[in-house]
PDB file of all heavy atoms in Angstrom:
ATOM      1  N   ARG H 275      45.370 -15.439  97.083  1.00  0.00           N
ATOM      2  CA  ARG H 275      44.779 -15.009  98.338  1.00  0.00           C
ATOM      3  C   ARG H 275      45.217 -13.574  98.706  1.00  0.00           C
ATOM      4  O   ARG H 275      44.842 -13.103  99.769  1.00  0.00           O
ATOM      5  CB  ARG H 275      45.172 -15.939  99.459  1.00  0.00           C
ATOM      6  CG  ARG H 275      44.761 -17.345  99.236  1.00  0.00           C
ATOM      7  CD  ARG H 275      45.129 -18.239 100.378  1.00  0.00           C
ATOM      8  NE  ARG H 275      44.732 -19.641 100.174  1.00  0.00           N
ATOM      9  CZ  ARG H 275      43.532 -20.147 100.402  1.00  0.00           C
ATOM     10  NH1 ARG H 275      42.585 -19.331 100.911  1.00  0.00           N
ATOM     11  NH2 ARG H 275      43.254 -21.381 100.177  1.00  0.00           N
ATOM     12  N   LYS H 280      38.611  -7.225  93.001  1.00  0.00           N
ATOM     13  CA  LYS H 280      38.068  -8.431  92.377  1.00  0.00           C
ATOM     14  C   LYS H 280      36.835  -8.013  91.541  1.00  0.00           C
ATOM     15  O   LYS H 280      36.135  -7.131  91.958  1.00  0.00           O
ATOM     16  CB  LYS H 280      37.632  -9.453  93.429  1.00  0.00           C
ATOM     17  CG  LYS H 280      37.120 -10.776  92.868  1.00  0.00           C
ATOM     18  CD  LYS H 280      38.186 -11.609  92.174  1.00  0.00           C
ATOM     19  CE  LYS H 280      37.606 -12.898  91.714  1.00  0.00           C
ATOM     20  NZ  LYS H 280      38.582 -13.667  90.884  1.00  0.00           N
ATOM     21  N   VAL H 330      33.108 -12.351 106.070  1.00  0.00           N
ATOM     22  CA  VAL H 330      32.698 -13.167 104.947  1.00  0.00           C
ATOM     23  C   VAL H 330      33.063 -14.601 105.247  1.00  0.00           C
ATOM     24  O   VAL H 330      34.064 -14.925 105.804  1.00  0.00           O
ATOM     25  CB  VAL H 330      33.314 -12.714 103.603  1.00  0.00           C
ATOM     26  CG1 VAL H 330      34.855 -12.762 103.689  1.00  0.00           C
ATOM     27  CG2 VAL H 330      32.812 -13.524 102.436  1.00  0.00           C
ATOM     28  N   MET H 331      32.146 -15.491 104.878  1.00  0.00           N
ATOM     29  CA  MET H 331      32.385 -16.915 105.104  1.00  0.00           C
ATOM     30  C   MET H 331      31.605 -17.752 104.077  1.00  0.00           C
ATOM     31  O   MET H 331      30.563 -17.318 103.605  1.00  0.00           O
ATOM     32  CB  MET H 331      32.055 -17.293 106.560  1.00  0.00           C
ATOM     33  CG  MET H 331      30.569 -17.120 106.889  1.00  0.00           C
ATOM     34  SD  MET H 331      30.192 -17.461 108.636  1.00  0.00           S
ATOM     35  CE  MET H 331      30.667 -19.203 108.718  1.00  0.00           C
ATOM     36  N   ALA H 332      32.066 -18.949 103.834  1.00  0.00           N
ATOM     37  CA  ALA H 332      31.387 -19.860 102.924  1.00  0.00           C
ATOM     38  C   ALA H 332      30.197 -20.409 103.684  1.00  0.00           C
ATOM     39  O   ALA H 332      30.237 -20.739 104.861  1.00  0.00           O
ATOM     40  CB  ALA H 332      32.330 -20.965 102.467  1.00  0.00           C
ATOM     41  N   VAL H 333      29.040 -20.582 102.962  1.00  0.00           N
ATOM     42  CA  VAL H 333      27.799 -21.053 103.536  1.00  0.00           C
ATOM     43  C   VAL H 333      27.197 -22.053 102.632  1.00  0.00           C
ATOM     44  O   VAL H 333      27.488 -22.161 101.402  1.00  0.00           O
ATOM     45  CB  VAL H 333      26.815 -19.925 103.819  1.00  0.00           C
ATOM     46  CG1 VAL H 333      27.333 -18.976 104.875  1.00  0.00           C
ATOM     47  CG2 VAL H 333      26.488 -19.154 102.533  1.00  0.00           C
ATOM     48  N   TYR H 340      29.411 -23.337  96.053  1.00  0.00           N
ATOM     49  CA  TYR H 340      30.243 -22.138  96.004  1.00  0.00           C
ATOM     50  C   TYR H 340      29.492 -20.898  96.444  1.00  0.00           C
ATOM     51  O   TYR H 340      29.534 -19.883  95.801  1.00  0.00           O
ATOM     52  CB  TYR H 340      30.789 -22.006  94.606  1.00  0.00           C
ATOM     53  CG  TYR H 340      31.465 -23.202  94.020  1.00  0.00           C
ATOM     54  CD1 TYR H 340      31.102 -23.660  92.702  1.00  0.00           C
ATOM     55  CD2 TYR H 340      32.382 -23.955  94.751  1.00  0.00           C
ATOM     56  CE1 TYR H 340      31.646 -24.788  92.217  1.00  0.00           C
ATOM     57  CE2 TYR H 340      32.951 -25.115  94.236  1.00  0.00           C
ATOM     58  CZ  TYR H 340      32.610 -25.506  92.953  1.00  0.00           C
ATOM     59  OH  TYR H 340      33.173 -26.624  92.413  1.00  0.00           O
ATOM     60  N   CYS H 341      28.758 -21.013  97.528  1.00  0.00           N
ATOM     61  CA  CYS H 341      28.049 -19.807  98.056  1.00  0.00           C
ATOM     62  C   CYS H 341      28.870 -19.296  99.250  1.00  0.00           C
ATOM     63  O   CYS H 341      29.468 -20.003  99.994  1.00  0.00           O
ATOM     64  CB  CYS H 341      26.622 -20.228  98.546  1.00  0.00           C
ATOM     65  SG  CYS H 341      25.507 -20.774  97.184  1.00  0.00           S
ATOM     66  N   PHE H 342      28.748 -17.931  99.397  1.00  0.00           N
ATOM     67  CA  PHE H 342      29.329 -17.287 100.514  1.00  0.00           C
ATOM     68  C   PHE H 342      28.494 -16.093 100.919  1.00  0.00           C
ATOM     69  O   PHE H 342      27.681 -15.572 100.166  1.00  0.00           O
ATOM     70  CB  PHE H 342      30.790 -16.826 100.212  1.00  0.00           C
ATOM     71  CG  PHE H 342      30.907 -15.866  99.061  1.00  0.00           C
ATOM     72  CD1 PHE H 342      30.884 -14.466  99.314  1.00  0.00           C
ATOM     73  CD2 PHE H 342      31.008 -16.272  97.763  1.00  0.00           C
ATOM     74  CE1 PHE H 342      30.962 -13.591  98.247  1.00  0.00           C
ATOM     75  CE2 PHE H 342      31.136 -15.423  96.727  1.00  0.00           C
ATOM     76  CZ  PHE H 342      31.115 -14.045  96.947  1.00  0.00           C
ATOM     77  N   GLN H 343      28.641 -15.748 102.240  1.00  0.00           N
ATOM     78  CA  GLN H 343      27.783 -14.763 102.845  1.00  0.00           C
ATOM     79  C   GLN H 343      28.613 -13.630 103.360  1.00  0.00           C
ATOM     80  O   GLN H 343      29.649 -13.868 104.021  1.00  0.00           O
ATOM     81  CB  GLN H 343      26.893 -15.351 103.948  1.00  0.00           C
ATOM     82  CG  GLN H 343      26.017 -14.322 104.652  1.00  0.00           C
ATOM     83  CD  GLN H 343      25.104 -14.961 105.692  1.00  0.00           C
ATOM     84  OE1 GLN H 343      24.203 -15.715 105.312  1.00  0.00           O
ATOM     85  NE2 GLN H 343      25.339 -14.682 106.939  1.00  0.00           N
ATOM     86  N   ARG H 360      35.135 -23.127  92.331  1.00  0.00           N
ATOM     87  CA  ARG H 360      35.776 -23.108  93.635  1.00  0.00           C
ATOM     88  C   ARG H 360      36.846 -22.022  93.679  1.00  0.00           C
ATOM     89  O   ARG H 360      36.974 -21.316  94.729  1.00  0.00           O
ATOM     90  CB  ARG H 360      36.406 -24.469  93.897  1.00  0.00           C
ATOM     91  CG  ARG H 360      37.180 -24.534  95.221  1.00  0.00           C
ATOM     92  CD  ARG H 360      37.930 -25.876  95.305  1.00  0.00           C
ATOM     93  NE  ARG H 360      38.860 -25.891  96.438  1.00  0.00           N
ATOM     94  CZ  ARG H 360      39.731 -26.795  96.721  1.00  0.00           C
ATOM     95  NH1 ARG H 360      39.810 -27.852  95.915  1.00  0.00           N
ATOM     96  NH2 ARG H 360      40.545 -26.729  97.742  1.00  0.00           N
ATOM     97  N   LYS H 361      37.617 -21.861  92.609  1.00  0.00           N
ATOM     98  CA  LYS H 361      38.608 -20.849  92.542  1.00  0.00           C
ATOM     99  C   LYS H 361      38.055 -19.456  92.725  1.00  0.00           C
ATOM    100  O   LYS H 361      38.522 -18.668  93.550  1.00  0.00           O
ATOM    101  CB  LYS H 361      39.406 -20.939  91.201  1.00  0.00           C
ATOM    102  CG  LYS H 361      40.489 -19.915  91.028  1.00  0.00           C
ATOM    103  CD  LYS H 361      41.173 -20.106  89.671  1.00  0.00           C
ATOM    104  CE  LYS H 361      42.313 -19.122  89.491  1.00  0.00           C
ATOM    105  NZ  LYS H 361      41.824 -17.748  89.399  1.00  0.00           N
ATOM    106  N   GLU H 362      36.954 -19.178  92.005  1.00  0.00           N
ATOM    107  CA  GLU H 362      36.338 -17.838  92.097  1.00  0.00           C
ATOM    108  C   GLU H 362      35.767 -17.676  93.480  1.00  0.00           C
ATOM    109  O   GLU H 362      35.845 -16.568  94.120  1.00  0.00           O
ATOM    110  CB  GLU H 362      35.218 -17.701  91.101  1.00  0.00           C
ATOM    111  CG  GLU H 362      35.707 -17.507  89.681  1.00  0.00           C
ATOM    112  CD  GLU H 362      36.363 -16.142  89.459  1.00  0.00           C
ATOM    113  OE1 GLU H 362      35.717 -15.128  89.801  1.00  0.00           O
ATOM    114  OE2 GLU H 362      37.543 -16.102  89.082  1.00  0.00           O
ATOM    115  N   ASN H 363      35.143 -18.690  94.091  1.00  0.00           N
ATOM    116  CA  ASN H 363      34.612 -18.629  95.414  1.00  0.00           C
ATOM    117  C   ASN H 363      35.618 -18.229  96.457  1.00  0.00           C
ATOM    118  O   ASN H 363      35.444 -17.262  97.254  1.00  0.00           O
ATOM    119  CB  ASN H 363      33.903 -19.958  95.742  1.00  0.00           C
ATOM    120  CG  ASN H 363      33.276 -19.914  97.092  1.00  0.00           C
ATOM    121  OD1 ASN H 363      32.563 -18.989  97.439  1.00  0.00           O
ATOM    122  ND2 ASN H 363      33.539 -20.901  97.913  1.00  0.00           N
ATOM    123  N   GLU H 364      36.756 -18.923  96.467  1.00  0.00           N
ATOM    124  CA  GLU H 364      37.780 -18.667  97.487  1.00  0.00           C
ATOM    125  C   GLU H 364      38.494 -17.320  97.232  1.00  0.00           C
ATOM    126  O   GLU H 364      38.850 -16.633  98.210  1.00  0.00           O
ATOM    127  CB  GLU H 364      38.794 -19.817  97.497  1.00  0.00           C
ATOM    128  CG  GLU H 364      38.159 -21.158  97.894  1.00  0.00           C
ATOM    129  CD  GLU H 364      39.195 -22.182  98.268  1.00  0.00           C
ATOM    130  OE1 GLU H 364      40.370 -21.745  98.504  1.00  0.00           O
ATOM    131  OE2 GLU H 364      38.861 -23.368  98.355  1.00  0.00           O
ATOM    132  N   GLU H 365      38.721 -16.962  95.987  1.00  0.00           N
ATOM    133  CA  GLU H 365      39.297 -15.661  95.695  1.00  0.00           C
ATOM    134  C   GLU H 365      38.396 -14.514  96.113  1.00  0.00           C
ATOM    135  O   GLU H 365      38.871 -13.477  96.592  1.00  0.00           O
ATOM    136  CB  GLU H 365      39.718 -15.566  94.213  1.00  0.00           C
ATOM    137  CG  GLU H 365      40.910 -16.381  93.819  1.00  0.00           C
ATOM    138  CD  GLU H 365      41.408 -16.072  92.463  1.00  0.00           C
ATOM    139  OE1 GLU H 365      40.691 -15.376  91.710  1.00  0.00           O
ATOM    140  OE2 GLU H 365      42.458 -16.603  92.061  1.00  0.00           O
ATOM    141  N   TRP H 366      37.096 -14.640  95.876  1.00  0.00           N
ATOM    142  CA  TRP H 366      36.156 -13.576  96.357  1.00  0.00           C
ATOM    143  C   TRP H 366      36.195 -13.470  97.877  1.00  0.00           C
ATOM    144  O   TRP H 366      36.220 -12.364  98.422  1.00  0.00           O
ATOM    145  CB  TRP H 366      34.761 -13.898  95.857  1.00  0.00           C
ATOM    146  CG  TRP H 366      34.398 -13.315  94.510  1.00  0.00           C
ATOM    147  CD1 TRP H 366      34.316 -13.976  93.315  1.00  0.00           C
ATOM    148  CD2 TRP H 366      34.141 -11.946  94.244  1.00  0.00           C
ATOM    149  NE1 TRP H 366      33.988 -13.057  92.318  1.00  0.00           N
ATOM    150  CE2 TRP H 366      33.843 -11.819  92.830  1.00  0.00           C
ATOM    151  CE3 TRP H 366      34.132 -10.771  94.993  1.00  0.00           C
ATOM    152  CZ2 TRP H 366      33.579 -10.625  92.220  1.00  0.00           C
ATOM    153  CZ3 TRP H 366      33.858  -9.585  94.390  1.00  0.00           C
ATOM    154  CH2 TRP H 366      33.577  -9.462  93.029  1.00  0.00           C
ATOM    155  N   ILE H 367      36.235 -14.626  98.540  1.00  0.00           N
ATOM    156  CA  ILE H 367      36.274 -14.596 100.008  1.00  0.00           C
ATOM    157  C   ILE H 367      37.551 -13.944 100.509  1.00  0.00           C
ATOM    158  O   ILE H 367      37.535 -13.101 101.425  1.00  0.00           O
ATOM    159  CB  ILE H 367      36.090 -16.025 100.554  1.00  0.00           C
ATOM    160  CG1 ILE H 367      34.682 -16.565 100.316  1.00  0.00           C
ATOM    161  CG2 ILE H 367      36.415 -16.038 102.043  1.00  0.00           C
ATOM    162  CD1 ILE H 367      34.454 -17.988 100.703  1.00  0.00           C
ATOM    163  N   CYS H 368      38.662 -14.312  99.932  1.00  0.00           N
ATOM    164  CA  CYS H 368      39.974 -13.749 100.310  1.00  0.00           C
ATOM    165  C   CYS H 368      40.007 -12.225 100.029  1.00  0.00           C
ATOM    166  O   CYS H 368      40.486 -11.436 100.792  1.00  0.00           O
ATOM    167  CB  CYS H 368      41.090 -14.439  99.648  1.00  0.00           C
ATOM    168  SG  CYS H 368      41.362 -16.144 100.135  1.00  0.00           S
ATOM    169  N   ALA H 369      39.553 -11.808  98.849  1.00  0.00           N
ATOM    170  CA  ALA H 369      39.506 -10.415  98.478  1.00  0.00           C
ATOM    171  C   ALA H 369      38.629  -9.591  99.382  1.00  0.00           C
ATOM    172  O   ALA H 369      39.073  -8.482  99.881  1.00  0.00           O
ATOM    173  CB  ALA H 369      39.086 -10.242  97.026  1.00  0.00           C
ATOM    174  N   ILE H 370      37.465 -10.065  99.694  1.00  0.00           N
ATOM    175  CA  ILE H 370      36.567  -9.300 100.615  1.00  0.00           C
ATOM    176  C   ILE H 370      37.171  -9.253 102.013  1.00  0.00           C
ATOM    177  O   ILE H 370      37.080  -8.230 102.694  1.00  0.00           O
ATOM    178  CB  ILE H 370      35.197  -9.954 100.608  1.00  0.00           C
ATOM    179  CG1 ILE H 370      34.515  -9.803  99.228  1.00  0.00           C
ATOM    180  CG2 ILE H 370      34.278  -9.344 101.661  1.00  0.00           C
ATOM    181  CD1 ILE H 370      33.205 -10.517  99.062  1.00  0.00           C
ATOM    182  N   ASN H 371      37.780 -10.369 102.479  1.00  0.00           N
ATOM    183  CA  ASN H 371      38.399 -10.355 103.762  1.00  0.00           C
ATOM    184  C   ASN H 371      39.566  -9.362 103.807  1.00  0.00           C
ATOM    185  O   ASN H 371      39.691  -8.609 104.807  1.00  0.00           O
ATOM    186  CB  ASN H 371      38.925 -11.724 104.093  1.00  0.00           C
ATOM    187  CG  ASN H 371      39.595 -11.807 105.434  1.00  0.00           C
ATOM    188  OD1 ASN H 371      39.016 -11.524 106.471  1.00  0.00           O
ATOM    189  ND2 ASN H 371      40.889 -12.165 105.475  1.00  0.00           N
ATOM    190  N   ASN H 372      40.362  -9.272 102.777  1.00  0.00           N
ATOM    191  CA  ASN H 372      41.475  -8.313 102.700  1.00  0.00           C
ATOM    192  C   ASN H 372      40.935  -6.872 102.738  1.00  0.00           C
ATOM    193  O   ASN H 372      41.468  -5.998 103.348  1.00  0.00           O
ATOM    194  CB  ASN H 372      42.327  -8.522 101.483  1.00  0.00           C
ATOM    195  CG  ASN H 372      43.078  -9.812 101.552  1.00  0.00           C
ATOM    196  OD1 ASN H 372      43.379 -10.331 102.645  1.00  0.00           O
ATOM    197  ND2 ASN H 372      43.490 -10.402 100.393  1.00  0.00           N
ATOM    198  N   ILE H 373      39.847  -6.624 101.990  1.00  0.00           N
ATOM    199  CA  ILE H 373      39.256  -5.311 101.922  1.00  0.00           C
ATOM    200  C   ILE H 373      38.645  -4.914 103.231  1.00  0.00           C
ATOM    201  O   ILE H 373      38.716  -3.767 103.729  1.00  0.00           O
ATOM    202  CB  ILE H 373      38.206  -5.170 100.784  1.00  0.00           C
ATOM    203  CG1 ILE H 373      38.907  -5.392  99.380  1.00  0.00           C
ATOM    204  CG2 ILE H 373      37.447  -3.891 100.829  1.00  0.00           C
ATOM    205  CD1 ILE H 373      37.944  -5.480  98.285  1.00  0.00           C
ATOM    206  N   SER H 374      38.004  -5.884 103.938  1.00  0.00           N
ATOM    207  CA  SER H 374      37.421  -5.570 105.205  1.00  0.00           C
ATOM    208  C   SER H 374      38.443  -5.140 106.251  1.00  0.00           C
ATOM    209  O   SER H 374      38.078  -4.419 107.214  1.00  0.00           O
ATOM    210  CB  SER H 374      36.635  -6.802 105.712  1.00  0.00           C
ATOM    211  OG  SER H 374      37.542  -7.871 106.090  1.00  0.00           O
ATOM    212  N   ARG H 522      42.254 -20.203 110.231  1.00  0.00           N
ATOM    213  CA  ARG H 522      41.203 -19.318 109.709  1.00  0.00           C
ATOM    214  C   ARG H 522      41.443 -19.068 108.193  1.00  0.00           C
ATOM    215  O   ARG H 522      40.522 -19.045 107.389  1.00  0.00           O
ATOM    216  CB  ARG H 522      41.237 -18.022 110.455  1.00  0.00           C
ATOM    217  CG  ARG H 522      40.459 -18.020 111.797  1.00  0.00           C
ATOM    218  CD  ARG H 522      40.429 -16.670 112.439  1.00  0.00           C
ATOM    219  NE  ARG H 522      39.518 -16.698 113.555  1.00  0.00           N
ATOM    220  CZ  ARG H 522      38.232 -16.339 113.480  1.00  0.00           C
ATOM    221  NH1 ARG H 522      37.713 -15.965 112.309  1.00  0.00           N
ATOM    222  NH2 ARG H 522      37.452 -16.367 114.560  1.00  0.00           N
ATOM    223  N   ALA H 523      42.702 -18.878 107.802  1.00  0.00           N
ATOM    224  CA  ALA H 523      42.965 -18.626 106.416  1.00  0.00           C
ATOM    225  C   ALA H 523      42.779 -19.849 105.520  1.00  0.00           C
ATOM    226  O   ALA H 523      42.171 -19.754 104.448  1.00  0.00           O
ATOM    227  CB  ALA H 523      44.443 -18.122 106.222  1.00  0.00           C
ATOM    228  N   HIS H 525      40.746 -22.454 106.135  1.00  0.00           N
ATOM    229  CA  HIS H 525      39.386 -22.906 106.091  1.00  0.00           C
ATOM    230  C   HIS H 525      38.393 -21.699 105.740  1.00  0.00           C
ATOM    231  O   HIS H 525      37.173 -21.843 105.844  1.00  0.00           O
ATOM    232  CB  HIS H 525      38.915 -23.459 107.445  1.00  0.00           C
ATOM    233  CG  HIS H 525      39.731 -24.711 107.802  1.00  0.00           C
ATOM    234  ND1 HIS H 525      39.519 -25.913 107.129  1.00  0.00           N
ATOM    235  CD2 HIS H 525      40.701 -24.913 108.705  1.00  0.00           C
ATOM    236  CE1 HIS H 525      40.362 -26.815 107.647  1.00  0.00           C
ATOM    237  NE2 HIS H 525      41.058 -26.258 108.595  1.00  0.00           N
ATOM    238  N   ASN H 526      38.994 -20.535 105.359  1.00  0.00           N
ATOM    239  CA  ASN H 526      38.181 -19.376 104.939  1.00  0.00           C
ATOM    240  C   ASN H 526      37.190 -18.957 106.027  1.00  0.00           C
ATOM    241  O   ASN H 526      36.046 -18.676 105.806  1.00  0.00           O
ATOM    242  CB  ASN H 526      37.401 -19.696 103.627  1.00  0.00           C
ATOM    243  CG  ASN H 526      38.330 -19.865 102.480  1.00  0.00           C
ATOM    244  OD1 ASN H 526      39.340 -19.134 102.395  1.00  0.00           O
ATOM    245  ND2 ASN H 526      37.973 -20.787 101.603  1.00  0.00           N
ATOM    246  N   ILE H 527      37.696 -18.943 107.253  1.00  0.00           N
ATOM    247  CA  ILE H 527      36.828 -18.453 108.416  1.00  0.00           C
ATOM    248  C   ILE H 527      37.296 -17.083 108.712  1.00  0.00           C
ATOM    249  O   ILE H 527      38.326 -16.866 109.369  1.00  0.00           O
ATOM    250  CB  ILE H 527      37.000 -19.401 109.614  1.00  0.00           C
ATOM    251  CG1 ILE H 527      36.611 -20.840 109.229  1.00  0.00           C
ATOM    252  CG2 ILE H 527      36.110 -18.912 110.770  1.00  0.00           C
ATOM    253  CD1 ILE H 527      36.888 -21.868 110.337  1.00  0.00           C
ATOM    254  N   PHE H 528      36.547 -16.064 108.299  1.00  0.00           N
ATOM    255  CA  PHE H 528      36.919 -14.713 108.464  1.00  0.00           C
ATOM    256  C   PHE H 528      35.987 -13.918 109.422  1.00  0.00           C
ATOM    257  O   PHE H 528      36.200 -12.761 109.684  1.00  0.00           O
ATOM    258  CB  PHE H 528      37.015 -13.999 107.138  1.00  0.00           C
ATOM    259  CG  PHE H 528      37.981 -14.643 106.213  1.00  0.00           C
ATOM    260  CD1 PHE H 528      37.540 -15.256 105.076  1.00  0.00           C
ATOM    261  CD2 PHE H 528      39.317 -14.671 106.467  1.00  0.00           C
ATOM    262  CE1 PHE H 528      38.434 -15.888 104.180  1.00  0.00           C
ATOM    263  CE2 PHE H 528      40.220 -15.269 105.618  1.00  0.00           C
ATOM    264  CZ  PHE H 528      39.768 -15.906 104.460  1.00  0.00           C
TER     265      PHE H 528
END
Side-chain angles (χ1 to χ4, degrees):
R275 302 183 182 274
K280 183 67 177 173
V330 59
M331 62 185 299
V333 295
Y340 311 131
C341 294
F342 60 93
Q343 176 177 296
R360 176 187 171 188
K361 179 178 182 295
E362 286 291 306
N363 181 48
E364 297 196 14
E365 285 189 351
W366 270 106
I367 291 176
C368 293
I370 294 175
N371 179 60
N372 292 336
I373 294 173
S374 68
R522 279 183 169 268
H525 298 289
N526 294 323
I527 303 174
F528 302 113

